[in-house]
Amino acid sequence: LVHDPQLDVVVTFRTTWCGFCNLWAPVFLSLAATASSIQTLKFFEFDVGENDPEPALNISSFPTVMVFPAHNKTGLVYNGGRTVSELTLFLQEHVSMKLAAG
């Protein structure tokens, strides 16, 4: 789905043993639930402990949040704050279907 040119995809790369990942998960899931009505925007959690991400993504810290916009499948790393409103602002700049401010 990440490579589907019709979809904007947001992925959080995490591990189960990462404390910051466990703190981030409710924020990520809250935004995913809020945006669930947008059919062209998909949210995924990727457990690096159970799966290997593509080496080209250079995932080296956790959680790493990446956005794969419909128009740019190389992926954009999100380095902003860890709140719903801050991630929403980032997504408003980079995804096709605009989100309401969180």
Side-chain angles (χ1 to χ4, degrees), residues 13-100:
F13 294 89
R14 58 169 309 198
T15 66
T16 55
W17 49 261
C18 168
F20 290 117
C21 297
N22 295 329
L23 291 172
W24 168 246
V27 173
F28 185 79
L29 296 174
S30 173
L31 182 55
T34 300
S36 65
S37 65
I38 302 173
Q39 296 299 310
T40 58
L41 180 60
K42 304 296 179 188
F43 289 79
F44 295 99
E45 288 188 298
F46 189 101
D47 186 342
V48 178
E50 294 185 19
N51 303 286
D52 293 324
E54 292 183 25
L57 296 177
N58 290 324
I59 306 299
S60 61
S61 63
F62 309 108
T64 294
V65 179
M66 292 189 75
V67 178
F68 298 88
H71 63 278
N72 174 7
K73 292 304 181 174
T74 58
L76 305 167
V77 175
Y78 172 68
N79 290 313
R82 301 299 190 189
T83 66
V84 169
S85 61
E86 290 168 308
L87 180 56
T88 299
L89 289 173
F90 180 79
L91 293 177
Q92 286 174 330
E93 292 179 34
H94 299 288
V95 298
S96 303
M97 179 65 86
K98 299 309 174 202
L99 298 157

